[in-house]
Amino acid sequence: MIKCITFDLDDTLWAVDPVIKQANQTMFDWLAQYAPAFTRCYQLKDLAILRTAVLSEQPDIAHSVTQIRMAQLRFGLEKAGYSAQDVKLLTEQAFDVFLHARQQVSYFEHARETLLALKKQGYILGALSNGNADIHKVGLADVMDFQFKADDVGAMKPHPLMFEQMLAHTNLRPEQVIHIGDNPQHDIEGAEAAGLWTIWVNLKQDAHIPNASKEVNCLSEIVEKVEEIREEAVNKVVL
């Protein structure tokens, strides 16, 4: 019954906060060199203020971390006095610097080993992410078969659209898929509402989520939990 396993990425396979912190610093250092008027107007901590400003004017881009990031840069560069042509060029270049640094992740213990084990068992593996990490750039293209990002889908989990597009792509029914992720709302509630089995990655060992199919406190437990779900799925069909 179980044919496909999808994974969230940020804070499921690696810690995202240090990645974003370093990527922001790398981008800010680049701006200090190539757009010094920007860094004279703003400090690194002001990126949050710029985010709030652009989202108040463009709430329709709230699903896309990429569009938000580029809007932040455009807004800040315009306020710093750069011409329209320079704003366009500097925005694209600064975002490229950020995005490259954003792919420099450090996997949690057992992450790749778990993915490889599931791949060897014949499961289709995919990524469903609200962020802009790219499986081809973080070193997962050899184990993952596809990826859907909120940037491309047009909605963030827990909205059903990403799960629906995944099911259409794989030509599978919801009960044939397990989604694995750390976020109780985005991953567990969203996937459960779409009819998928779920495994909650609870590395911090927070209070249990009642509606998760299974829970793990270490990524090394995932293969065992997948097997438990597979057996439950078979028994459910038999009954």
Side-chain angles (χ1 to χ4, degrees):
M1 283 294 296
I2 304 299
K3 302 291 185 182
C4 175
I5 303 171
T6 59
F7 284 82
D8 174 57
L9 298 177
D10 293 329
D11 286 332
T12 295
L13 298 181
W14 57 74
V16 71
D17 285 349
V19 175
I20 298 300
K21 182 178 180 180
Q22 183 57 52
N24 278 335
Q25 185 63 62
T26 300
M27 181 188 72
F28 202 79
D29 291 345
W30 185 91
L31 287 165
Q33 182 174 358
Y34 295 100
F38 180 98
T39 54
R40 284 196 294 268
C41 292
Y42 301 102
Q43 299 179 35
L44 190 56
K45 61 182 177 62
D46 294 328
L47 291 175
I49 298 173
L50 292 174
R51 176 189 175 89
T52 300
V54 299
L55 282 176
S56 67
E57 295 182 359
Q58 304 176 65
D60 56 307
I61 67 171
H63 70 279
S64 173
V65 290
T66 293
Q67 290 185 55
I68 293 170
R69 174 72 54 173
M70 296 191 77
Q72 281 177 298
L73 288 164
R74 281 193 297 269
F75 183 87
L77 289 162
E78 288 169 358
K79 292 296 184 182
Y82 287 98
S83 68
Q85 183 177 359
D86 285 343
V87 166
K88 182 177 185 300
L89 181 61
L90 289 169
T91 295
E92 292 172 353
Q93 292 177 336
F95 179 73
D96 285 345
V97 169
F98 169 85
L99 193 60
H100 176 76
R102 193 259 185 271
Q103 312 301 324
Q104 312 308 307
V105 303
S106 297
Y107 298 116
F108 287 140
E109 187 177 10
H110 307 297
R112 275 195 59 85
E113 295 90 337
T114 295
L115 292 168
L116 286 167
L118 294 171
K119 188 70 174 176
K120 288 179 181 177
Q121 291 180 15
Y123 292 108
I124 300 167
L125 301 184
L128 304 180
S129 177
N130 286 345
N132 49 13
D134 188 315
I135 60 171
H136 299 279
K137 296 177 181 177
V138 298
L140 293 176
D142 61 324
V143 289
M144 287 194 164
D145 301 290
F146 64 88
Q147 176 175 18
F148 285 92
K149 293 184 285 189
D151 278 347
D152 305 317
V153 170
M156 300 178 74
K157 299 172 294 179
H159 192 284
L161 188 57
M162 192 180 303
F163 300 107
E164 292 169 355
Q165 290 193 11
M166 175 274 296
L167 292 171
H169 174 77
T170 56
N171 196 30
L172 294 173
R173 300 185 303 276
E175 65 269 21
Q176 294 177 297
V177 182
I178 302 171
H179 180 65
I180 301 174
D182 73 290
N183 190 287
Q185 289 76 42
H186 297 167
D187 294 306
I188 305 307
E189 291 182 10
E192 288 279 343
L196 280 61
W197 299 86
T198 57
I199 298 177
W200 180 35
V201 175
N202 182 16
L203 301 183
K204 297 178 181 178
Q205 301 190 29
D206 293 329
H208 178 67
I209 299 176
N211 61 336
S213 305
K214 301 290 177 181
E215 175 184 336
V216 297
N217 301 132
C218 177
L219 298 186
S220 64
E221 302 168 5
I222 287 176
V223 173
E224 178 184 353
K225 296 302 180 182
V226 166
E227 179 61 20
E228 290 178 8
I229 290 175
R230 189 191 68 80
E231 291 179 1
E232 290 179 22
V234 170
N235 292 335
K236 190 174 182 179
V237 171
V238 172
L239 294 173

